[in-house]
């Protein structure tokens, strides 16, 4: 019966007006696997103009214009430029991995001073145990590592002092060192490092007296202090200064002030003598 339902000229098919279906082929096409496709439609396995079944005029989903699918980078760059870009990409990935899980304050200090990965991780682990003094310790480390030729090595020494309870941080600036730094115009870096070194000297007060003789003759006391610290760390005694006071130094200003006072005193004394002569 199904073969006669869709013949041409059938007067009525399930209530539909005769001729509604036109000259459709007899029976339903084979459905299994859609072999042969549906009547009146082209096959869908690889539409015209689409290799591999894509849409007409497109070859799959293309990369952005000018981007190489193999490298994901601009295709118009030469090998040297590509290598440089790849190096920068790898370096950025390494920095992200190196600072993964590191506190932001530690990462910033590490990046500024160029600390290696070992020192950075060691600092992060140690500072997690020093929450009570975290800010003061970090401030001291910022100052203490400034200008170091081997900041990672110096940091490891300071971490050892922390573990042994010998790291004083900003507390190394006790009242006497603060007054000394203010008197001789030392900057914060020189003052903190001086405090750390004096803490390990046998007679810090006597050292400060001798150091002061050097600093008062210099017009760059902080720089001179950093030079003197090397001998102090090695336990060497502080020698007497062998150079004259530089222009602009504290000692030079004292000499100028003394000279001006002497000149004013003589001028006033001479005036009185001349006045006495006139009265006589």
């Amino acid at each position: 019966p199904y073969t006669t339902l869709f013949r041409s000229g059938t007067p009525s098919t399930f209530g539909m007006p005769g001729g509604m279906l036109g000259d459709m082929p007899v029976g339903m096409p084979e459905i299994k696997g859609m072999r042969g496709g549906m009547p009146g439609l082209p096959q869908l396995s690889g539409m015209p103009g689409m290799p591999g079944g894509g849409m007409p005029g497109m070859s799959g989903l293309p990369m952005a214009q000018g981007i190489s699918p193999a490298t994901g980078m601009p295709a118009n760059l030469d090998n040297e430029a590509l290598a440089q870009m790849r190096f920068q990409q790898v370096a950025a990935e390494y920095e992200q991995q190196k600072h993964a899980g590191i506190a932001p304050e530690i990462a910033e200090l590490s990046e500024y001073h160029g600390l290696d990965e070992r020192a950075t991780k060691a600092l992060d682990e140690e500072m997690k145990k020093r929450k009570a003094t975290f800010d003061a310790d970090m401030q001291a480390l910022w100052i203490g590592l400034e200008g170091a030729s081997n900041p990672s090595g110096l940091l490891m020494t300071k971490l050892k002092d922390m573990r042994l309870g010998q790291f004083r941080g900003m507390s190394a600036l006790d009242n006497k060192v603060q007054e000394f730094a203010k008197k001789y115009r030392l900057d914060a870096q020189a003052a903190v490092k001086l405090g750390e070194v004096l803490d390990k000297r046998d007679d810090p007060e006597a050292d400060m007296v001798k150091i002061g003789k050097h600093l008062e003759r210099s017009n760059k006391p902080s720089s001179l202090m950093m030079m003197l610290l090397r001998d102090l760390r090695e336990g060497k005694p502080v020698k007497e200064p062998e150079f004259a006071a530089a222009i602009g130094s504290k000692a030079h200003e004292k000499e100028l002030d003394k000279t001006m006072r002497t000149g004013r005193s003589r001028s006033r004394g001479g005036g009185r003598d001349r006045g006495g002569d006139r009265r006589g």
Side-chain angles (χ1 to χ4, degrees), residues 86-98:
R86 183 57 183 161
F87 172 78
Q88 293 175 353
Q89 181 181 2
V90 172
E93 292 174 355
Y94 171 76
E95 288 297 323
Q96 291 178 355
Q97 293 176 1
K98 184 176 77 169

Side-chain angles (χ1 to χ4, degrees), residues 24-25 29 34-45 47-48:
M24 293 182 69
M34 295 298 289
R35 189 161 44 204
M38 294 184 66
L41 289 176
Q43 293 186 0
L44 296 177
S45 58
M47 294 176 66

Side-chain angles (χ1 to χ4, degrees), residues 5-280:
L5 287 176
F6 300 111
R7 284 181 179 170
S8 174
T10 303
S12 178
T13 304
F14 300 113
M16 295 177 65
M20 185 75 169
L21 299 178
D23 293 326
M24 293 182 69
V26 178
M28 292 290 289
E30 185 173 343
I31 300 299
K32 184 177 181 180
M34 295 298 289
R35 189 161 44 204
M38 294 184 66
L41 289 176
Q43 293 186 0
L44 296 177
S45 58
M47 294 176 66
M50 285 189 65
M55 296 181 65
M58 295 178 65
S59 176
L61 292 175
M63 298 287 290
Q65 186 175 4
I67 300 299
S68 170
T71 63
M73 295 182 178
N76 59 347
L77 295 178
D78 57 25
N79 292 335
E80 184 177 354
L82 285 172
Q84 181 66 20
M85 289 183 65
R86 183 57 183 161
F87 172 78
Q88 293 175 353
Q89 181 181 2
V90 172
E93 292 174 355
Y94 171 76
E95 288 297 323
Q96 291 178 355
Q97 293 176 1
K98 184 176 77 169
H99 292 155
I102 302 294
E105 298 89 345
I106 304 296
E108 183 181 4
L109 177 76
S110 173
E111 183 177 357
Y112 178 84
H113 291 289
L115 302 178
D116 59 33
E117 185 175 0
R118 173 172 169 264
T120 301
K121 290 184 176 180
L123 175 61
D124 185 66
E125 293 175 1
E126 187 63 30
M127 293 308 295
K128 287 177 181 177
K129 308 172 188 176
R130 303 174 66 88
K131 295 181 179 180
T133 59
F134 184 91
D135 292 338
D137 290 344
M138 289 298 295
Q139 183 180 1
L141 290 174
W142 270 100
I143 295 173
L145 295 177
E146 185 68 34
S149 58
N150 181 10
S152 295
L154 179 58
L155 175 63
M156 297 305 291
T157 300
K158 293 182 180 297
L159 292 177
K160 181 180 179 181
D161 290 342
M162 289 182 183
R163 298 185 191 105
L164 296 175
Q166 299 176 356
F167 181 78
R168 296 178 58 191
M170 294 302 291
S171 63
L173 283 173
D174 58 24
N175 292 334
K176 290 183 178 180
V177 176
Q178 289 184 33
E179 293 174 1
F180 182 86
K182 184 177 180 181
K183 178 179 179 180
Y184 293 103
R185 306 167 186 171
L186 297 180
D187 59 27
Q189 180 187 359
V192 170
K193 291 189 175 184
L194 174 61
E196 292 176 350
V197 172
L198 289 178
D199 192 47
K200 300 176 182 178
R201 298 278 294 185
D202 295 333
D203 193 351
E205 293 187 8
D207 287 336
M208 282 194 289
V209 172
K210 296 177 181 178
I211 292 171
K213 294 180 180 180
H214 287 264
L215 298 181
E216 69 179 1
R217 287 170 167 77
S218 174
N219 53 12
K220 296 181 179 179
S222 295
S223 298
L224 177 60
M225 186 70 258
M226 301 302 288
M227 295 174 62
L228 294 173
L229 287 174
R230 288 181 294 195
D231 290 342
L232 292 172
R233 288 193 184 98
E234 295 174 2
K236 296 180 181 180
V238 181
K239 299 179 181 180
E240 292 293 328
E242 299 176 353
F243 56 93
I247 297 175
S249 66
K250 193 174 183 64
H252 183 257
E253 291 177 356
K254 286 182 178 179
E255 292 176 0
L256 287 177
D257 185 58
K258 182 178 180 180
T259 301
M260 292 178 66
R261 287 182 179 180
T262 302
R264 287 195 298 266
S265 176
R266 289 178 178 174
S267 177
R268 289 194 297 269
R272 283 195 299 270
D273 292 341
R274 288 192 296 271
D277 293 342
R278 285 193 296 271
R279 285 192 300 269

